[in-house]
Structures are given as C-alpha cells and as structure tokens.
C-alpha cells in the first residue's frame, strides 16, 4: 500500500468512526451482560468537522509533496485536538521522518498516554529519547518498566538489548545500559547487556570482565558462553574455552555446534566430524548435521560415510539438496559407478553446481566411449545458457581428452567467429592451435588477448612458454614470462615457465631452483618432466630418474611426462 492509499484508508476509518458517533441513539434494550470492548469502540467519539478534514488533507498532501515539516506540524495539531491513536501515530511517524524529534517525541508521549500498553509507542519514545541524547529520561522510563517485570526482569533486559541492537551510537548505548542495569548487577542478563554494549563500543577489556561475571552468576548459560567465545582470539583460545565449557556442560548443544564450526575453521576436520556426530546423535534427522558430516567425511577422504550421510540428507527433502547431489555424483564417479554418477548429476537442478554437473556428466559418458552423447549433453546445456563460455571450453576439453585436437580446433574457431574477442575462447583456441603446430595462430590469438586483457597473466605466460619451449626468441620469451610473474607471482605454472626459459638460456642451475619451487607448490607431471630433464643435463641422472618415477606413479598417463622419459630412457 502506498502512502496515499494508507492515508485514504485512515481517512475512511476516521470518517466511519465519526459517523458512528453521530448516529441517532437506538431504542433502549433490556440490560444484558456487557460485551467485550472492541478496539473500534475504544476510539474517541467526535464530530468530523470541516476543520478536522482540512487539517487531515493538508497534512497528507504536504507529505505527498515532500513538505514533511508542514505535514508534521499539521498532524501534530490534529493529534492534540482529536487524541485519536491512529492520528497520533501518524503524527509521530511524519515528525520522525522530518527529523523534528521534539515534535515526534511529543506525539509519541501522547500516543503512550492514549495507549499505554502499545509496544510500538514505547519503542518509538525510547528511540527518540536516545536520538535526542536524553539518556537519563530514557533510563528512567525503562527502569520503571523493568521494576514492573518482577522476577522476569532478566527476560525484559534481553528484550531491551534486542530493541537497541542496531542503534548506531554505541557509546550512548553503553551509557544507557550501564545506568539501566545498575540495580540488577546480581542478574546474569544485566552483566551480559553490559558486556554486549562494551563490545559494541570497542571496549574489549570491559566486555570480557562483564561476561566473566555473567558466567560466574550462571556458569551453565550457553548464551553467555557463546558471547565470551566471540570475544576471544580466533583459534586456540576459542577452542580451549569452548572445550572446557563442554566438559562441564556436555548437553550444551549450541556451544557444541560453535565448537564444531570453530574446528572446521581451523581445518581440524576429523575432530569437527566427531562433534557433529554427537550433535546428530541428539538430533538424528537434523539435515544440517547430516550435511556437515557428509562434507567433513569428504574432506578426510571417507567417501563411504560421506555417501551415507549425504544420501540421508537428500532423503530429508529439506534445505538446498543440489550441492549434496553433486557430491554424490562425484563419489559414485570415483567409485566406478557411472550410471549412479549420471543419475545424481542429472538431479542437480539449480545453483552453482548445475554447470559443473553437466560437464562431469559429459566426462562420464566420454569414459564410456560415448563422445557423441557427451557432446549432445553439453550442446543442450549451452542452448539453455548461451552466454556461458564455460560450456564451450568444456566441450573443447572433451574433444582434446578424446584425442580429437583438430575437431576441438574447428569447434573453437567456429565459436570464435560468433564472439571474436571473447577472452576465454581466444585463449582456448590458441592452446588448441599450439597442439596442432599452428604457432602463428597461437601467437596471433594470444597477442589479441593481451590487447583485450593487459592484466592476463595466463596470456603472457602461454606465449612466453610457447616461444621458450621451441627455443625461439628467448629474450622476448623471458620478458613475457617475467610480465606474467609480476601479475601472478605465486603461480606455480608461471614459475615452471620461468625455470624452463632460464634452462633454455643456458642458466640450468637458476632454472632448476625455479622449477623446484614450482613443484613444491604444485607436484604437476609436466613440471616433474622439466625438473628431470634439467637434472639429467646437469649430470645428476639418478636424481632425474627418481623425480620421474615419483611423478609417473601419480600421473601414469601423462603424455608430456611419458614422452620426456622416453627421450632419455628409450
């Protein structure tokens, strides 16, 4: 409902109430038990005069035109004369919007006088007292409310904390809460309020002192324990405190959940999994626990338990099921169950895993020698997402994996015709051209890519490495690779290129250092092939063979590694 509709509805209810007030009296009926008084019957009974109607229309039209000061003044006059709670509330809202806080406060007080039980009115008054810096008055008002709560004062204190959680002046909040909680320092909630206010005002020492006193008053209080954990440095300190709290309070589920999540953030996956198992034992069908155990089991390579819990999670039908379906597809694929893998991948319906599921499904079909079906699957996905180049790259990779480099090149060239300056397609076309020996095409596309994306480290690296690998224009190759390193200094593949170009320039010892640094970051088969060749050239043949053997065990089908070994050990 827009502002004018709201105003019109208010006008109709006002006129209805006033018309009812002017209706002739009905004949006197026999006395009966009085019916409960309705909200409408509590409204003031008064005549709808021309002055009231004029003021109402003036106030609303002024608000519609953005003249909020004029609207606030007219509404406040109307509120004083009618004492109608709907008008009074509107007056408070308009004055607050106009930042006429004194007028808004007057309207809020009038609203509370008319409807003393209204939480909205009380909250508005509190907000206005805080906004105008009347901390003592606000504290006095809230203190009277707290006195009336009796033994439920702790709950009331927590309600007050929630009410002011988003108020921006944290120093004012701290002063208010300190004053408000003074009579209740033996109540744990009061200490928590003080701790939260101090933390919001960046008074860490005070926050820690207050939360410790809250826990001294209620040692098993989970809310206080969780807040204390937030105040502690991340890592070991948090873990130690949460663990000690759980030792004393083993049924504290919220704290156990926080402990488990902290273990995950510290990459202590096995320990985290144990905690989630305990949480699941207390809540056997909790989907969050099932999913957490499934993902953590994947992290520790326990695919059997991962599959068990992820399946149970999917069976609950609650939450986002698509990530679990994707991971179940991966598990089935790795276990050599292609039909199960395809079934799970096909169930991924939305979100970030949809395209990876399509691509992995195509790869499953390729391993079954069903290249045609695999391509059809990707083509259908591409039709549904025509602007997503990841599917183009995936299909080209599929063809390369099948040894169809010429088909991959033709496919990419066709895609490039439709999008001649698309960076990913330019890059993939260049690399595929290099496989076919089309060095001129490789260089042309990579130089165009550098023009389009001068910060593309991969483009500089690919061009520089291609020149170095062919022993061409080595100084230029070194400059291109150095440029790539300046853009991505920790990339292991660029470090590999750096080592390789140094080796080609006759700087074998320097090249070996760069290659070994790259291999330490990424034990890739082609980096191992380069290290072995440099070691062999330096006369360290036993070391070279040891490197090749280790890499061959991890990557038995890598063409570049196999070809390098055959050159030296036919």
């Amino acid at each position: 409902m827009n502002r004018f509709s709201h105003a019109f509805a208010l006008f109709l209810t006002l006129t209805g109430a006033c018309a009812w007030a002017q209706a002739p009296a009905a004949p006197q009926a026999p006395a009966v038990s009085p019916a409960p008084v309705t909200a409408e019957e509590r409204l003031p009974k008064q005549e709808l005069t021309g002055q009231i109607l004029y003021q109402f229309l003036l106030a609303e039209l002024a608000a519609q035109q953005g003249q909020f000061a004029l609207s606030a003044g007219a509404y406040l006059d109307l509120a004083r004369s009618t004492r109608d709670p709907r008008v009074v509330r509107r007056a408070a809202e308009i004055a607050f919007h106009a930042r006429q806080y004194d007028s808004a406060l007057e309207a809020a007080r009038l609203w509370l006088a008319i409807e003393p039980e209204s939480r909205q009115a009380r909250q508005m008054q509190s907000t206005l007292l805080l906004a105008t810096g009347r901390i003592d008055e606000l504290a006095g008002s809230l203190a009277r409310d707290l006195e009336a709560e009796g033994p439920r004062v702790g709950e009331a204190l927590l309600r007050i904390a929630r009410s002011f959680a988003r108020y921006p002046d944290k120093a004012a909040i701290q002063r208010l809460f300190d004053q408000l909680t003074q009579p209740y320092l033996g109540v744990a909630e009061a200490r928590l309020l003080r701790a939260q206010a101090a933390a919001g005002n960046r008074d860490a020492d005070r926050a820690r002192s207050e939360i410790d006193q809250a826990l001294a008053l209620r040692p098993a209080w989970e809310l206080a324990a969780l807040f204390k954990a937030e105040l502690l440095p991340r890592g070991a300190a948090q873990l130690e405190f949460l663990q000690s709290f759980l030792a004393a309070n083993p049924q504290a589920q919220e704290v156990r959940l926080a402990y488990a999540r902290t273990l995950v953030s510290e990459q202590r996956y096995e320990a985290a999994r144990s905690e989630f198992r305990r949480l699941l034992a207390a809540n056997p069908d909790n989907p969050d626990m099932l999913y957490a155990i499934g993902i953590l089991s994947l992290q520790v390579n326990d695919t059997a338990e991962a599959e068990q819990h992820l399946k149970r999670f999917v069976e609950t039908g609650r939450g986002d099921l698509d990530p679990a379906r994707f991971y179940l597809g991966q598990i089935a694929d790795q276990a050599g169950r292609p039909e199960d893998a395809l079934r799970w991948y096909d169930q991924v319906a939305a979100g970030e895993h949809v395209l990876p599921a399509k691509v992995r499904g195509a790869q499953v079909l390729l391993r079954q020698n069903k290249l045609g079906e695999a391509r059809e699957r990707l083509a259908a996905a591409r039709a549904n997402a025509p602007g997503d180049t990841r599917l183009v790259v995936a299909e080209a990779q599929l063809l390369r994996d099948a040894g169809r480099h010429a088909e991959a090149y033709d496919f990419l060239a066709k895609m490039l015709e439709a999008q001649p300056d698309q960076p990913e397609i330019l890059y993939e076309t260049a690399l595929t051209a290099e496989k076919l020996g089309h060095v001129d095409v490789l260089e042309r596309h990579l130089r165009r890519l550098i023009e389009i994306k001068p910060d593309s480290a991969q483009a500089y690296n690919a061009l520089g490495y291609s020149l170095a690998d062919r022993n061409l224009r080595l100084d230029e190759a070194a400059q291109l690779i150095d440029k790539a390193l300046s853009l991505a200094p920790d990339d292991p593949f660029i470090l590999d290129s750096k080592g390789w170009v140094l080796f080609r320039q006759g700087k074998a010892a320097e090249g070996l250092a760069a290659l070994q640094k790259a291999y330490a970051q990424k034990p890739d088969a082609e980096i191992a092939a380069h290290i072995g060749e440099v070691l062999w050239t330096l006369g360290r043949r036993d070391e070279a063979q040891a490197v090749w053997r280790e890499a061959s065990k991890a990557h038995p089908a890598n063409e570049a590694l196999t070809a390098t070994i055959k050159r030296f050990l036919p």
Side-chain angles (χ1 to χ4, degrees):
M1 182 181 288
N2 61 32
R3 185 179 290 127
F4 183 76
S5 301
H6 171 83
F8 187 63
L10 175 59
F11 171 70
L12 288 178
T13 55
L14 280 171
T15 55
C18 294
W20 181 87
Q22 298 174 70
Q28 188 170 0
V32 295
S33 299
V37 179
T38 66
E40 184 174 316
E41 289 170 336
R42 285 197 295 268
L43 295 173
K45 311 301 186 292
Q46 59 189 330
E47 181 182 358
L48 178 61
T49 65
Q51 180 63 27
I52 290 175
L53 181 59
Y54 168 76
Q55 283 184 272
F56 174 77
L57 293 175
L58 172 65
E60 274 305 321
L61 288 172
Q64 290 292 317
Q65 295 170 5
Q67 299 177 16
F68 294 110
L70 175 60
S71 177
Y75 253 128
L76 189 57
D77 286 343
L78 194 59
R80 291 176 185 135
S81 62
T82 65
R83 295 183 65 84
D84 187 297
R86 295 161 299 181
V87 176
V88 174
R89 173 180 175 176
R90 186 79 171 140
E93 291 171 346
I94 293 290
F96 184 79
H97 191 75
R99 297 187 178 182
Q100 294 190 351
Y101 295 134
D102 288 339
S103 297
L105 188 55
E106 180 185 345
R109 284 171 173 157
L110 182 56
W111 185 5
L112 264 178
I114 298 167
E115 292 186 337
E117 303 303 320
S118 170
R119 283 195 176 183
Q120 279 185 298
R122 195 168 300 281
Q123 179 61 42
M124 178 167 278
Q125 178 180 259
S126 297
T127 301
L128 288 164
L129 288 171
L130 195 59
T132 53
R134 304 180 193 190
I135 302 297
D136 291 340
E137 185 178 348
L138 175 56
S141 172
L142 293 175
R144 288 189 293 274
D145 295 338
L146 288 173
E147 286 175 14
E149 293 289 343
R152 296 176 300 178
V153 69
E155 297 173 23
L157 284 166
L158 293 180
R159 283 199 303 272
I160 289 171
R162 288 192 292 271
S163 298
F164 292 102
R166 296 185 180 180
Y167 191 77
D169 189 344
K170 302 304 181 184
I173 291 293
Q174 186 173 6
R175 291 197 305 274
L176 170 65
F177 284 5
D178 280 351
Q179 189 171 341
L180 192 62
T181 55
Q182 187 61 41
Y184 307 103
L185 296 183
V187 177
E189 287 86 351
R191 294 294 186 176
L192 175 63
L193 246 69
R194 287 188 162 206
Q196 290 174 334
N201 198 31
R202 299 183 181 181
D203 188 349
D205 290 340
R206 171 78 185 284
R208 285 191 287 268
S209 172
E210 293 290 352
I211 202 61
D212 283 343
Q213 293 183 71
L215 282 167
L217 291 165
R218 283 178 61 184
W221 192 17
E222 287 193 73
L223 187 60
L226 292 169
F227 190 72
K228 176 169 181 174
E230 289 180 21
L231 296 174
L232 291 170
R234 291 182 180 275
Q238 281 185 334
L239 289 172
E240 183 180 353
F241 167 71
L242 292 170
Q243 192 173 26
S244 65
F245 186 88
L246 287 170
N249 306 279
Q251 301 305 315
Q253 303 288 27
E254 292 298 322
V255 172
R256 190 169 300 282
L257 180 58
Y259 180 53
R261 287 173 172 166
T262 305
L263 287 168
V264 171
S265 68
E266 294 298 304
Q267 299 183 3
R268 293 174 55 180
Y269 301 126
E270 190 58 70
R273 184 166 66 151
S274 296
E275 295 302 322
F276 276 111
R277 283 174 177 155
R278 295 185 67 169
L279 288 162
L280 183 63
N283 303 277
D285 295 319
N286 185 295
D288 294 335
M289 303 303 113
L290 289 168
Y291 184 74
I293 295 172
I295 295 302
L296 288 167
S297 296
L298 280 180
Q299 288 286 349
V300 298
N301 295 316
D302 186 349
T303 54
E305 185 166 356
E307 187 170 31
Q308 174 193 346
H309 284 87
L310 290 174
K311 279 183 177 179
R312 283 183 60 196
F313 168 70
V314 171
E315 287 166 4
T316 67
R318 293 151 60 192
D320 184 1
L321 306 181
D322 286 317
R325 290 168 175 152
F326 178 74
Y327 297 131
L328 284 165
Q330 284 186 302
I331 292 169
D333 193 3
Q334 292 169 7
R337 306 195 315 264
E339 298 308 321
D340 283 350
L342 286 171
R343 179 171 57 83
W344 285 118
Y345 287 143
D346 286 343
Q347 290 181 48
V348 179
E352 62 180 301
H353 293 95
V354 170
L355 288 179
K358 300 291 185 189
V359 171
R360 286 181 176 270
Q363 291 169 344
V364 170
L365 289 169
L366 178 64
R367 288 194 293 274
Q368 294 178 306
N369 296 317
K370 298 176 181 179
L371 177 60
E373 286 184 45
R375 293 193 70 184
E376 286 174 10
R377 176 178 290 249
L378 291 181
R382 201 166 62 248
N384 292 326
D388 200 317
T389 58
R390 290 176 295 175
L391 291 164
V392 174
V393 172
E395 189 165 348
Q397 184 62 53
L398 207 67
L399 288 163
R400 288 198 295 266
D401 290 344
R404 308 269 191 101
H405 296 291
E407 285 184 55
Y409 177 74
D410 291 341
F411 168 72
L412 286 167
K414 182 180 178 181
M415 294 293 136
L416 199 58
E417 285 179 10
Q419 304 178 72
D421 286 337
Q422 212 294 322
E424 287 79 10
I425 299 178
L426 268 172
Y427 183 74
E428 290 296 322
T429 308
L431 296 188
T432 307
E434 193 240 1
K435 292 286 185 185
L436 297 170
H438 303 329
V439 182
D440 56 332
V441 177
L442 164 87
E443 185 165 352
R444 184 172 73 250
H445 286 337
L446 289 178
R447 290 199 182 280
R448 178 58 183 154
L449 177 56
I450 288 169
E451 288 178 21
I452 296 167
K453 290 185 68 177
D455 59 346
S456 173
Q458 287 74 22
Y460 287 105
N461 180 57
L463 184 53
Y465 177 80
S466 178
L467 293 173
D469 200 42
R470 288 169 172 76
N471 238 342
L472 299 173
R473 295 159 23 213
L474 293 178
D475 289 343
E476 182 183 356
Q479 290 175 359
L480 289 163
I481 292 167
D482 284 342
K483 176 65 175 178
L485 269 177
S486 72
L487 294 166
D490 297 321
D491 189 303
F493 295 108
I494 301 176
L495 281 170
D496 171 60
S497 299
K498 178 65 175 177
W500 198 236
V501 75
L502 286 167
F503 171 65
R504 291 296 200 196
Q505 289 176 317
K507 304 171 185 177
E510 292 178 56
L512 179 61
L515 290 167
Q516 288 174 329
K517 182 178 179 182
Y519 194 67
Q521 292 183 31
K522 180 78 175 176
D524 179 77
E526 293 190 29
I527 302 176
H530 291 156
I531 291 174
E533 185 166 343
V534 175
L535 286 169
W536 191 279
T537 305
L538 289 169
R540 297 158 61 178
R541 296 187 175 187
D542 289 342
E543 293 178 61
Q545 291 183 62
V547 170
W548 287 334
R549 277 196 303 271
E550 178 188 343
S552 294
K553 288 177 184 176
H555 310 280
N558 185 272
E559 294 178 5
L561 177 61
T562 302
T564 299
I565 295 171
K566 283 183 178 179
R567 278 196 291 115
F568 293 93
L569 298 169

